[in-house]
Amino acid sequence: MDQAQIEVRVLSSLDQIGAEDWDACACPETADGGRPLDPFTTHRFLLALEQSGSVGPGTGWQPQYLTAYLDGMLIAAAPMYAKSHSQGEYIFDHSWAHAYEQAGGRYYPKLQIAVPFTPATGRRLLVRPGYEGIGMSALVQGAVQLAADNRVSSIHVTFCTEDEARAGEQMGLLHRASQQFHWLNDGYRDFGGFLAALSSRKRKNIRKERAQACAFGGEIKTLTGPDLRPEHWDAFWVFYQDTGSRKWGSPYLTREFFDIVHHTMADDVALVLAERHGHLIAGALNFVGRKTLYGRYWGAIEHHPCLHFELCYYRAIDFAIVEGLHRVEAGAQGEHKLARGYLPTQTHSLHWVGDSGFADAVAQYLEAERAAIGEEIEILTDYGPFRKSTPEEQQ
């Protein structure tokens, strides 16, 4: 198919493209009526970020949605943003920015192909089925051309899939490996089945933590769909603000974002809430994909032992088992997750740097970093909580 037939456009708002067209590229699997693999690149989620003012003027995340058309039909798209800082990305390049500017360059603005504030793996180069090769190529070439024409220092495709990472490398992009902790469902019938796979000491520790958490003097419930009410979001906003102010200085998401999610994405949400003496005191927000539960935000206005572990990790496992989900992604960082059954997992990103000398230095750094990440994952996995098989069991 002739590459010249493809027209690449940059859109400043998702209002300029219909949800059906965007989602035909972002989540074609929903044609069967089921959930998207992940909800974060859907039109409704990205539009919620935009309409709520969580991205856009004054945020450092300026939408520059990249789209590719063939004979007037959208065949590929990417959630791209012009960035004036490196906040809310979770793949850290602050040292790159410092080195680049120390050498006399201007690192910002840069282009970020990502879901803002969302360290969850998923497709970033969204291609309509049947157009994979030319669609992905058009997006990458279009982004590089845009960066070169505007003298932008770099492009970053963060938390992409492993398949995208391999394809991106073949197109000349730099591959970066990172690490998160994910829980994997090995066909467990219930939480007890999961515990049975752990070593005796870890099993006892988790039972102890769950007992401590549930002794806080109240009730824990998981709400989704029509069970969610506005007052639940009022409470969660307080929890989110507290965590956001401590972690980032100010919350990334606006209050309106949660109102929009309530109206447009309630079925994509699993909100775990702890209530004590008639008042909601803590909560954990998860988004639900076709195969994965994504833990996103947590907060509390009262401290109780192990309540964080219960709401964020153990209730997520409960939900995943009941719903038949394959995994739980519990967000960025946190080696404390290892003892709770969440194993180290490699994540991926792709990068393009316009300056050839700096690109060579970054490539050398990434090669060493990938080796270190691989070794760390191997070591941490060996220290995991799962019961080691005996020689007899291995035979």
Side-chain angles (χ1 to χ4, degrees):
M1 200 172 289
D2 186 359
Q3 185 77 24
Q5 294 176 297
I6 298 177
E7 179 188 3
V8 176
R9 305 175 197 165
V10 176
L11 307 179
S12 60
S13 172
L14 275 188
D15 284 334
Q16 298 170 272
I17 189 168
E20 185 176 344
D21 284 340
W22 180 276
D23 287 345
C25 298
C27 51
E29 66 277 2
T30 59
D32 66 5
R35 294 184 184 276
L37 285 172
D38 77 79
F40 302 120
T41 54
T42 61
H43 191 275
R44 59 184 178 272
F45 184 88
L46 296 172
L47 188 63
L49 291 175
E50 193 181 323
Q51 290 179 334
S52 67
S54 300
V55 302
T59 68
W61 290 84
Q62 192 60 40
Q64 301 279 283
Y65 305 109
L66 193 63
T67 59
Y69 294 82
L70 179 65
D71 296 331
M73 181 178 70
L74 182 72
I75 64 166
M80 189 169 74
Y81 301 83
K83 290 294 306 295
S84 60
H85 53 64
S86 290
Q87 305 303 315
E89 297 168 6
Y90 302 95
I91 299 293
F92 301 111
D93 65 346
H94 300 89
S95 60
W96 299 8
H98 180 72
Y100 197 82
E101 293 178 355
Q102 284 289 99
R106 183 174 176 226
Y107 194 72
Y108 304 105
K110 61 178 182 174
L111 293 177
Q112 195 84 18
I113 296 177
V115 178
F117 330 121
T118 308
T121 292
R123 290 167 57 240
R124 297 293 175 260
L125 304 173
L126 313 173
V127 181
R128 188 186 291 264
Y131 298 89
E132 288 80 5
I134 60 170
M136 187 175 293
S137 177
L139 292 175
V140 171
Q141 291 181 37
V144 169
Q145 189 65 54
L146 183 68
D149 289 348
N150 291 277
R151 298 184 180 180
V152 173
S153 70
S154 52
I155 305 168
H156 309 268
V157 186
T158 44
F159 293 101
C160 62
T161 66
E162 186 175 358
D163 286 345
E164 286 177 323
R166 284 197 295 264
E169 278 190 292
Q170 293 176 358
M171 287 186 276
L173 302 181
L174 303 176
H175 174 213
R176 188 174 193 182
S178 305
Q179 173 193 301
Q180 288 184 340
F181 292 87
H182 298 173
W183 179 84
L184 304 178
N185 188 351
D186 193 20
Y188 304 119
R189 296 182 60 182
D190 52 28
F191 197 89
F194 159 60
L195 287 180
L198 306 182
S199 68
S200 175
R201 186 168 62 87
K202 297 298 184 183
R203 186 163 57 242
K204 289 177 181 177
N205 184 65
I206 289 176
R207 283 175 173 154
K208 180 180 178 181
E209 286 184 346
R210 297 205 79 176
Q212 285 182 307
C214 292
F216 77 102
E219 176 190 6
I220 299 172
K221 51 192 175 183
T222 300
L223 305 174
T224 188
D227 292 331
L228 290 164
R229 299 194 301 273
E231 56 264 34
H232 297 140
W233 295 110
D234 290 338
F236 188 77
W237 171 245
V238 175
F239 308 150
Y240 172 73
Q241 280 186 297
D242 177 68
T243 301
S245 62
R246 286 186 286 105
K247 279 191 172 184
W248 316 303
S250 61
Y252 292 137
L253 301 172
T254 66
R255 175 66 182 85
E256 189 179 359
F257 172 81
F258 298 100
D259 289 334
I260 295 173
V261 164
H262 176 70
H263 291 292
T264 65
M265 299 190 67
D267 290 337
D268 299 308
V269 164
L271 184 61
V272 185
L273 295 170
E275 183 176 347
R276 181 171 176 266
H277 300 324
H279 299 286
L280 295 172
I281 63 162
L285 175 60
N286 304 274
F287 283 86
V288 188
R290 179 171 289 220
K291 299 179 180 179
T292 305
L293 184 70
Y294 300 90
R296 292 305 303 115
Y297 302 106
W298 140 270
I301 57 173
E302 293 182 11
H303 173 74
H304 296 277
C306 300
L307 194 60
H308 170 253
F309 299 147
E310 178 67 19
L311 267 62
C312 292
Y313 306 140
Y314 302 141
R315 293 289 168 140
I317 291 173
D318 280 335
F319 186 90
I321 291 173
V322 169
E323 296 296 322
L325 302 178
H326 295 186
R327 69 171 59 212
V328 178
E329 291 193 20
Q333 305 162 335
E335 291 189 3
H336 60 279
K337 298 168 187 171
L338 183 65
R340 288 153 189 99
Y342 290 73
L343 294 178
T345 303
Q346 190 175 84
T347 58
H348 306 274
S349 60
L350 291 165
H351 307 268
W352 174 89
V353 178
D355 183 277
S356 59
F358 194 70
D360 288 341
V362 169
Q364 292 179 30
Y365 169 80
L366 293 182
E367 183 177 2
E369 186 184 46
R370 284 194 302 271
I373 289 289
E375 183 178 344
E376 184 177 8
I377 287 175
E378 187 176 341
I379 292 171
L380 287 173
T381 300
D382 194 52
Y383 277 99
F386 288 88
R387 180 168 51 87
K388 303 296 187 292
S389 299
T390 65
E392 291 78 11
E393 289 174 323
Q394 294 174 350
Q395 290 178 355

